[in-house]
């Protein structure tokens, strides 16, 4: 057999003196083949370098065994962990993952959807830019099930798995601001997406529960660089520039809540430069529990996001949707808990 030729089921069968049907059943793990015969066939297939023909298999099963995963920015620690969980869960189920990155660009998102349509994936897990939610309708119209991740697009009839962001922010702010806090700032991203809206809503609800007038607190928008290329979605210096212009010894909040831990890095620097200290003068609460959070001085209190749980739940839901396209829409929001460290006193 020439090395340039693809090894087939028939080649494996001929070497062992078995039928191609027996070899096929053995490699598929069917019960009709004894364990001893199955082991012998698998060993010979491996020795010959046999690789299943996925195209032929998809013609029989009607499935490509490929799942699309659309992410805004894989350098975001949350999405990096989510990607690993999705790939691991899909691999266990016999699926491959096609990863596409949008950088929160509307054009990139549309190109990603078109690529998924051309690839004929069995299903899609996607984080929407929320610029044009109708772009995802093309997948649904083609009969490709979609599970939205992290950002929910109401009214589109798609399954959703994410985090209860509003409750997470509300609970954390109330907890760390119970005593000695009358003025709170939220440093938020300047994106018009559901997660930003949820954080803002949770923050304002916390102010109400604490009896703090909204006029005494601020929601400040930090410029984001998500659409400028495949870099970190946030930069500490963006938050630093904003905070350094506002925080002075005579004019500062009691607590700063940041939309991510990178913003907290910039806030730390701005607080120190004006002669104040964390947490004695200003408490700081982050979001995301990124790997460096516990190593800052003082260690950063932050909200830990269940990225792996989101990825695992999303794959499970998508596989159920693939098996049963008519099942009712499901929306799942997982809990994110506060990790209290020294930055909040």
């Amino acid at each position: 057999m020439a090395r340039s030729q693809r090894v087939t089921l028939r080649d494996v069968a001929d070497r062992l003196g078995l039928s191609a049907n027996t070899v096929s059943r053995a490699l598929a793990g069917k019960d009709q083949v004894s364990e001893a015969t199955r082991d012998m066939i698998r060993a010979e297939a491996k020795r010959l370098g046999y690789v299943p023909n996925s195209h032929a298999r998809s013609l029989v099963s009607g499935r490509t065994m490929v799942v699309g995963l659309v992410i805004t920015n894989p350098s975001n620690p949350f999405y990096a962990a989510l990607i690993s969980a999705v790939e691991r869960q899909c691999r266990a189920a016999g699926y491959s993952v096609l990863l596409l990155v949008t950088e929160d660009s509307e054009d990139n998102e549309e190109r990603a959807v078109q690529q998924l349509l051309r690839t004929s994936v069995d299903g899609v897990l996607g984080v929407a830019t929320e610029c044009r939610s109708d772009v995802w309708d093309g997948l649904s119209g083609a009969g490709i099930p979609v599970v939205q991740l992290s950002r929910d697009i109401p009214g589109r009839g798609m399954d959703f798995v994410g985090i209860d962001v509003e409750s997470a922010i509300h609970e954390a702010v109330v907890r760390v601001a119970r005593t000695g806090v009358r003025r709170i700032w939220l440093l938020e991203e300047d994106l018009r997406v559901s997660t930003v809206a949820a954080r803002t809503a949770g923050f304002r609800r916390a102010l109400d529960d604490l009896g703090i007038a909204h006029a005494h607190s601020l929601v400040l928008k930090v410029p984001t660089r998500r659409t400028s290329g495949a870099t970190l979605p946030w930069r500490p210096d963006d938050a630093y520039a904003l905070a350094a212009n506002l925080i002075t010894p005579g004019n500062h909040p009691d607590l700063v809540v940041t939309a991510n831990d990178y913003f907290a890095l910039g806030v730390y620097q701005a607080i120190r430069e004006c002669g104040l200290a964390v947490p004695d003068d200003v408490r700081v609460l982050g979001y995301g529990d990124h790997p460096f959070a516990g190593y800052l001085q003082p260690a950063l209190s932050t909200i830990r996001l269940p990225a792996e749980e989101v990825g695992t739940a999303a794959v499970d839901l998508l596989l159920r949707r693939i098996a049963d396209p008519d099942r009712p829409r499901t929306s799942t929001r997982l809990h994110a808990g506060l990790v209290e460290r020294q930055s909040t006193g």
Side-chain angles (χ1 to χ4, degrees), residues 1-16:
M1 186 190 316
R3 281 189 175 273
S4 59
Q5 292 180 331
R6 182 188 182 99
V7 178
T8 66
L9 276 175
R10 172 59 62 188
D11 296 326
V12 179
D14 288 346
R15 289 298 181 96
L16 296 173

Side-chain angles (χ1 to χ4, degrees), residues 68-73 76 78-79 82-83 100-105 109 112-113 124-130 135-136 146-153 160-161 193-195 226 310:
L69 175 59
V70 182
I71 295 292
T72 58
N73 193 309
N76 179 334
F78 172 80
Y79 290 128
L82 185 144
I83 290 169
L100 299 168
V101 177
T102 68
E103 299 293 345
D104 264 313
S105 160
E109 181 178 55
V113 169
V124 174
L125 304 166
V127 181
T129 66
E130 298 191 54
V135 74
W136 296 90
V146 178
V147 174
Q148 293 291 331
L149 294 171
S150 185
R151 302 173 183 175
D152 194 7
I153 304 179
F160 171 77
V161 178
V193 296
S194 60
T195 46
R226 285 177 183 260
V310 170

Side-chain angles (χ1 to χ4, degrees), residues 16 27 37-49:
L16 296 173
L27 295 176
T37 302
R38 189 183 301 122
D39 290 344
M40 177 183 66
I41 291 172
R42 286 175 175 170
E44 184 65 15
K46 183 177 181 180
R47 191 185 70 79
L48 291 175

Side-chain angles (χ1 to χ4, degrees), residues 40-121:
M40 177 183 66
I41 291 172
R42 286 175 175 170
E44 184 65 15
K46 183 177 181 180
R47 191 185 70 79
L48 291 175
Y50 169 74
V51 178
N53 188 323
S54 58
H55 177 66
R57 184 172 59 187
S58 68
L59 290 176
V60 175
S61 66
R63 295 179 182 172
T64 63
M65 303 305 292
V66 177
V67 166
L69 175 59
V70 182
I71 295 292
T72 58
N73 193 309
S75 63
N76 179 334
F78 172 80
Y79 290 128
L82 185 144
I83 290 169
S84 294
V86 166
E87 199 282 330
R88 184 168 56 250
Q89 194 77 353
C90 284
R91 187 187 336 122
Y95 280 83
S96 298
V97 177
L98 173 62
L99 175 65
L100 299 168
V101 177
T102 68
E103 299 293 345
D104 264 313
S105 160
E106 181 181 344
D107 291 339
N108 289 346
E109 181 178 55
E110 187 163 0
R111 279 193 288 269
V113 169
Q114 292 304 314
Q115 166 102 30
L116 293 169
L117 287 169
R118 289 193 299 270
T119 308
S120 300
V121 295

Side-chain angles (χ1 to χ4, degrees), residues 16 53 57 73 103 123 131 186 214 237 260 280 287 294:
L16 296 173
N53 188 323
R57 184 172 59 187
N73 193 309
E103 299 293 345
C131 299
L186 170 64
H214 289 214
D237 52 339
N260 59 75
D280 296 342
Y287 184 87

Side-chain angles (χ1 to χ4, degrees), residues 71-311:
I71 295 292
T72 58
N73 193 309
S75 63
N76 179 334
F78 172 80
Y79 290 128
L82 185 144
I83 290 169
S84 294
V86 166
E87 199 282 330
R88 184 168 56 250
Q89 194 77 353
C90 284
R91 187 187 336 122
Y95 280 83
S96 298
V97 177
L98 173 62
L99 175 65
L100 299 168
V101 177
T102 68
E103 299 293 345
D104 264 313
S105 160
E106 181 181 344
D107 291 339
N108 289 346
E109 181 178 55
E110 187 163 0
R111 279 193 288 269
V113 169
Q114 292 304 314
Q115 166 102 30
L116 293 169
L117 287 169
R118 289 193 299 270
T119 308
S120 300
V121 295
D122 291 334
V124 174
L125 304 166
V127 181
T129 66
E130 298 191 54
C131 299
R132 277 186 51 208
S133 60
D134 62 318
V135 74
W136 296 90
D137 293 343
L139 293 166
S140 301
I144 300 174
V146 178
V147 174
Q148 293 291 331
L149 294 171
S150 185
R151 302 173 183 175
D152 194 7
I153 304 179
R156 293 294 173 184
M158 291 178 282
D159 295 310
F160 171 77
V161 178
I163 295 169
D164 190 350
V165 174
E166 181 176 342
S167 293
I169 288 289
H170 169 262
E171 292 171 6
V173 172
V174 168
R175 180 169 181 133
V176 303
R178 281 287 184 197
T179 59
V181 173
R182 304 309 303 165
R183 192 177 185 199
I184 311 176
W185 292 358
L186 170 64
L187 267 63
E188 186 52 88
E189 297 181 78
D190 64 348
L191 289 174
R192 296 180 61 185
V193 296
S194 60
T195 46
V196 170
R199 273 194 299 264
T200 303
F203 173 74
R204 288 177 171 151
R205 186 156 61 91
L207 296 181
D208 293 338
D209 288 351
L210 292 164
I212 298 175
H214 289 214
H216 295 163
S217 297
L218 298 172
V219 177
L220 304 167
K221 292 300 182 75
V222 179
T224 182
R225 302 178 188 232
R226 285 177 183 260
T227 58
S228 63
T231 59
L232 280 173
W234 320 286
R235 293 272 298 273
D237 52 339
D238 295 326
Y240 163 77
L242 184 63
N245 286 328
L246 295 173
I247 295 177
T248 67
N251 178 39
H252 64 83
D254 302 309
L255 169 65
V256 176
V257 182
T258 63
N260 59 75
D261 292 347
Y262 289 93
F263 285 178
L265 289 174
V267 171
Y268 266 41
Q269 183 69 15
I271 291 171
R272 290 192 184 105
E273 285 186 0
C274 71
L276 300 175
V278 179
D280 296 342
D281 300 304
V282 184
R283 303 178 193 180
V284 180
L285 173 65
Y287 184 87
D289 195 26
H290 298 327
F292 59 80
Y295 295 92
L296 296 179
Q297 291 295 327
L300 178 65
S301 294
T302 183
I303 296 171
R304 178 174 294 161
L305 306 180
E308 292 193 6
E309 291 88 339
V310 170

